[in-house]
Amino acid sequence: MTTTAFCKCKAIVLMGLLVFSGFSLTFAQEQRLETFQANFASANLQTKLEVLRAAESEDPAFFGPLYLQALQYVVSNSAQLPQEPNLREVALVAVNRVEAGNYVPAAGELWRLFQDYNESTARIRILTVLGGIAGEVPQVIAGLNDWVRRQHIQYASGGRPDLQVVSAALRAIRQLQSPTSFNILVDTILLQYPELITSVAREAIESLPGDLREMAFAFILARPLAERRPALLFFIGGDILNEQDKLLLAQETLGDILGRTTRDLLELEEFRQIRYAAAAVLREGAFGDATATVIRHFNETVLDFERGRISSGPLLEAIATLGAMGTEGAAQRLTQYLRLVNTYSETDRPYNTQIVLAVIQNLELLRFPVAYDALFYTTLIENYPRRVRDAAREATRSVLQ
């Protein structure tokens, strides 16, 4: 046999020994695990605790089924936890070893134990472990979200939930990083809990994967109508979204409201107030990308004004919002409106001088030649007061520069 062939043969033998050794080790572990589980099942409470303690030298990940078995036993006897120290110790050892082994299959029993055992220190410990292992267990995440929601209801109605446990729950949610927790976290901030709570909620929101603007928009749409405007203002005024996302959120919210109809007068007024709030954000941000949506808002506002539903104030704001867009589309729409108002003046229909001046001033601000003809025609209408014609003359010069 050549030296090369001998080396290859030796390597194959060594690999076989290693595989066999690994198999033997795994088989031995399985045998030990089965022995521990059988002993735990047949032992009394004191001996069950000793079985768990004896297993502490074993691999906690491999022995996860034993700790799951222990948790199931504790949960099935949870009514005895307050008066039985050994049962509490079994629970503690099992919880600690589940954490040490990062044993995900135990997450469901841990959550059940949390629900069954109303003791703050134990609950906080369980939540800490769940935060580390339950990221891929949607049932636990859903349960945790619902538990926090119920604490919110209690807090909002003047109750006194255990804030230490609520804080621990929010820390667990922060670790789990599930977008499904977004609404619960925002509600936490809106309810104005102490800083101990709200600071964790903010950190948890920042840690969430996904598009926060989409989550914020979904949050607004899910609220009762009376709560949508405060929700919008919260996102616009806070630091959860960046400036670009705030503008996009305002645009989306405005577009959504413009697509809604109702015969309820109170709802109609709330629709208007949401529109005004969203449009104000777009105006202040000079967000030209929203021109098409702002034009729809302007059209709706003109209609409301002409039907006597609103005062001139909202219309003046809608005109200014178009002026802030800085786009030719905005200039075209204001030009069309100026032509309409000119027609009103020529036919002796009532018009609002302040509104005419606002249209002229915003066309001057936009500086697009598309407005020239309408502005020049305005200078010729004798029915207008001199200050309107002078303003139109000045604007005419500006749009040609």
Side-chain angles (χ1 to χ4, degrees):
M1 179 183 292
T2 65
T3 302
T4 302
F6 176 77
C7 290
K8 287 183 178 179
C9 182
K10 184 177 179 181
I12 291 171
V13 171
L14 286 173
M15 287 180 63
L17 288 172
L18 288 172
V19 170
F20 179 77
S21 174
F23 174 78
S24 298
L25 181 61
T26 302
F27 180 76
Q29 284 181 311
E30 288 176 350
Q31 288 287 91
R32 289 200 302 277
L33 174 59
E34 289 177 5
T35 300
F36 274 95
Q37 287 188 283
N39 287 334
F40 184 90
S42 61
N44 61 28
L45 179 55
Q46 178 62 47
T47 306
K48 288 182 190 295
L49 179 56
E50 295 306 320
V51 170
L52 291 182
R53 286 172 174 165
E56 289 184 349
S57 60
E58 304 291 342
D59 179 357
F62 195 88
F63 267 56
L66 172 64
Y67 306 122
L68 174 58
Q69 181 183 1
L71 286 172
Q72 290 169 337
Y73 173 78
V74 172
V75 170
S76 65
N77 294 277
S78 59
Q80 301 175 29
L81 279 166
Q83 63 268 17
E84 185 50 73
N86 282 339
L87 188 60
R88 295 197 296 273
E89 188 65 19
V90 167
L92 178 61
V93 172
V95 169
N96 289 342
R97 296 300 283 168
V98 164
E99 180 184 41
N102 195 36
Y103 191 64
V104 175
E109 287 301 323
L110 274 176
W111 177 243
R112 280 184 277 276
L113 179 58
F114 173 88
Q115 293 174 288
D116 289 350
Y117 188 31
N118 190 20
E119 197 281 318
S120 297
T121 302
R123 283 186 144 190
I124 291 170
R125 181 75 186 108
I126 291 168
L127 288 168
T128 300
V129 178
L130 283 173
I133 70 170
E136 301 300 325
V137 188
Q139 298 90 340
V140 172
I141 296 172
L144 183 55
N145 288 339
D146 185 64
W147 183 85
V148 174
R149 180 188 61 80
R150 284 184 275 117
Q151 307 315 298
H152 289 351
I153 294 173
Q154 183 182 354
Y155 186 77
S157 61
R160 298 174 64 86
D162 189 327
L163 295 187
Q164 293 294 332
V165 179
V166 172
S167 179
L170 293 172
R171 290 196 297 272
I173 287 173
R174 180 182 60 194
Q175 285 183 272
L176 295 170
Q177 296 185 328
S178 171
T180 63
S181 300
F182 181 83
N183 288 9
I184 288 297
L185 294 170
V186 173
D187 281 335
T188 304
I189 299 170
L190 290 175
L191 281 170
Q192 298 182 333
Y193 278 94
E195 182 64 17
L196 162 76
I197 305 295
T198 56
S199 61
V200 181
R202 291 181 188 279
E203 292 170 5
I205 291 173
E206 292 172 1
S207 72
L208 292 179
D211 191 327
L212 290 179
R213 188 193 81 249
E214 289 183 1
M215 296 179 203
F217 185 49
F219 179 92
I220 292 170
L221 295 186
R223 311 303 283 187
L225 181 59
E227 297 178 17
R228 291 184 192 176
R229 182 161 42 110
L232 171 65
L233 296 175
F234 166 75
F235 289 118
I236 297 304
D239 54 6
I240 290 175
L241 303 179
N242 60 40
E243 294 306 313
Q244 180 72 7
D245 279 347
K246 289 177 182 179
L247 293 169
L248 289 170
L249 178 64
Q251 180 184 6
E252 288 174 323
T253 304
L254 179 58
D256 173 77
I257 289 297
L258 285 165
R260 296 180 181 272
T261 58
T262 180
R263 293 183 178 181
D264 187 290
L265 294 181
L266 292 177
E267 288 185 355
L268 276 174
E269 181 56 28
E270 190 57 35
F271 284 169
R272 292 189 190 102
Q273 294 304 320
I274 295 172
R275 280 173 36 216
Y276 300 158
V281 176
L282 300 174
R283 180 171 66 251
E284 292 167 9
F287 192 51
D289 289 351
T291 297
T293 308
V294 167
I295 287 173
R296 291 173 58 205
H297 166 64
F298 174 79
N299 293 344
E300 195 72 25
T301 308
V302 168
L303 188 61
D304 283 342
F305 177 73
E306 293 192 344
R307 292 179 176 178
R309 295 171 179 166
I310 60 174
S311 66
S312 62
L315 180 54
L316 291 171
E317 290 178 354
I319 293 167
T321 303
L322 274 176
M325 294 298 97
T327 61
E328 188 169 11
Q332 287 174 338
R333 183 62 189 95
L334 282 180
T335 299
Q336 292 168 357
Y337 187 61
L338 179 60
R339 291 195 184 106
L340 176 65
V341 176
N342 285 345
T343 301
Y344 289 168
S345 174
E346 287 187 301
T347 56
D348 293 326
R349 285 187 58 179
Y351 65 88
N352 184 301
T353 301
Q354 192 176 11
I355 289 174
V356 179
L357 284 171
V359 173
I360 293 170
Q361 290 162 359
N362 279 277
L363 285 172
E364 181 179 6
L365 179 66
L366 287 164
R367 291 174 178 260
F368 281 97
V370 67
Y372 177 81
D373 288 348
L375 287 169
F376 178 73
Y377 195 79
T378 303
T379 66
L380 304 177
I381 299 176
E382 292 294 331
N383 288 350
Y384 281 133
R386 178 172 295 278
R387 60 191 177 117
V388 170
R389 286 179 283 144
D390 287 347
R393 192 171 293 108
E394 184 65 30
T396 300
R397 287 193 289 266
S398 296
V399 300
L400 290 179
Q401 290 179 359

